[in-house]
């Protein structure tokens, strides 16, 4: 375990090994959880919001650690996040979800530079601009008007329809099928297909 602790960035792993959780910082605890997660050399690692409560420097540090471990062990990482900046810099492929449905899929650069779904466009608008100028991608959700639907009372049509500035009559009547504009890219929106 000490070897793993060293790999996730602890200079004195023996000391950390004998330390109680309450004596560690949030970032240190996060790194220990990551060490535990990779201890069995998993083929797939599901990381659910691993950077959500961290400040900017720590978020970058933890993201870099995941990247290093991915290269080192060849682990596939399913990285669940609400942070466009982390996704844009970390992921190979992005699947955007809205109200329980995947609404757009594509490789990371494609989705960030050329989002197709109106929800993705609203969500990544700021990050996309930063990518285009070559600046470091930053920012969290821009404000999107309205609220997500009640999960117990979902609309029959597109679930983003009440909040969508591009909505058409058909959008409230049925759910849009998956449209594949090019290989490895998909979007569920009537703007692109039936
Ligand atoms: S299907 Fe209609 S409401 Fe839904 S995102 Fe596309 S344009 Fe907007």
């Amino acid at each position: 375990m000490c070897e793993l602790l060293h790999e996730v960035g602890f200079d004195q792993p023996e000391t950390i090994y004998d330390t109680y959780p309450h004596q560690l910082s949030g970032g240190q605890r996060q790194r220990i959880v990551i060490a535990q997660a990779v201890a069995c050399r998993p083929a797939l690692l599901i990381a659910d919001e691993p950077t959500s409560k961290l400040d900017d420097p720590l978020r970058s540090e933890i993201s870099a650690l995941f990247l290093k471990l991915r290269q080192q062990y060849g682990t596939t990482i399913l990285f669940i996040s609400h942070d466009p900046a982390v996704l844009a810099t970390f992921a190979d492929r992005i699947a955007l979800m809205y109200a329980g449905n995947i609404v757009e899929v594509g490789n990371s650069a494609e989705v960030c530079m050329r989002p197709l779904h109106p929800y993705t466009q609203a969500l990544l608008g700021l990050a996309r601009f930063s990518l285009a100028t070559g600046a470091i991608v930053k920012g969290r959700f821009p404000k999107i008007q309205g609220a997500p639907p009640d999960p117990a009372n979902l609309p029959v049509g597109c679930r983003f329809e009440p909040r969508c500035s591009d909505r058409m009559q058909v959008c409230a009547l049925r759910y849009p099928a998956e449209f594949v504009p090019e290989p490895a890219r998909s979007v569920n929106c009537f703007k692109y297909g039936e």
Side-chain angles (χ1 to χ4, degrees):
M1 191 64 193
C2 282
E3 190 185 320
L4 269 174
L5 290 175
H6 187 259
E7 282 183 24
V8 296
F10 291 108
D11 292 334
Q12 295 178 309
E14 294 83 5
T15 308
I16 293 293
Y17 190 79
D18 287 327
T19 304
Y20 287 105
H22 71 272
Q23 297 172 306
L24 300 167
S25 69
Q28 287 175 319
R29 289 199 293 269
Q30 194 75 311
R31 280 192 271 158
I32 288 169
V33 169
I34 294 169
Q36 289 174 323
V38 298
C40 302
R41 304 288 188 268
L44 171 66
L45 178 63
I46 300 175
D48 191 356
E49 299 277 13
T51 58
S52 62
K53 294 199 172 89
L54 307 178
D55 58 25
D56 278 355
L58 206 47
R59 193 176 303 127
S60 303
E61 190 186 310
I62 295 297
S63 299
L65 177 58
F66 271 108
L67 279 172
K68 179 187 139 191
L69 294 174
R70 182 175 71 175
Q71 286 161 357
Q72 196 163 332
Y73 300 127
T75 305
T76 298
I77 301 177
L78 178 58
F79 198 95
I80 301 166
S81 177
H82 282 82
D83 189 335
V86 171
L87 292 175
T89 52
F90 180 85
D92 294 323
R93 286 175 60 72
I94 295 178
L96 265 294
M97 291 192 78
Y98 184 78
N101 284 337
I102 291 177
V103 297
E104 178 166 359
V105 180
N107 80 46
S108 173
E110 267 291 308
V111 171
C112 292
M113 299 287 281
R114 199 167 58 87
L116 298 176
H117 195 280
Y119 174 59
T120 322
Q121 288 169 351
L123 188 64
L124 296 181
L126 297 177
R128 181 166 53 115
F129 181 81
S130 299
L131 270 179
T133 59
I136 295 172
V137 179
K138 286 195 67 78
R140 291 186 163 268
F141 279 113
K143 182 80 178 153
I144 301 174
Q145 294 300 314
D150 176 358
N153 188 26
L154 291 168
V156 293
C158 172
R159 292 177 181 178
F160 191 56
E161 187 267 344
R163 311 173 79 183
C164 180
S165 54
D166 294 335
R167 63 180 175 271
M168 300 163 271
Q169 211 167 9
V170 64
C171 301
L173 302 179
R174 57 190 170 85
Y175 190 75
E178 182 183 72
F179 177 70
V180 181
E182 56 200 68
R185 190 95 158 93
S186 68
V187 60
N188 292 72
C189 176
F190 286 117
K191 281 172 70 180
Y192 305 96
E194 292 296 303

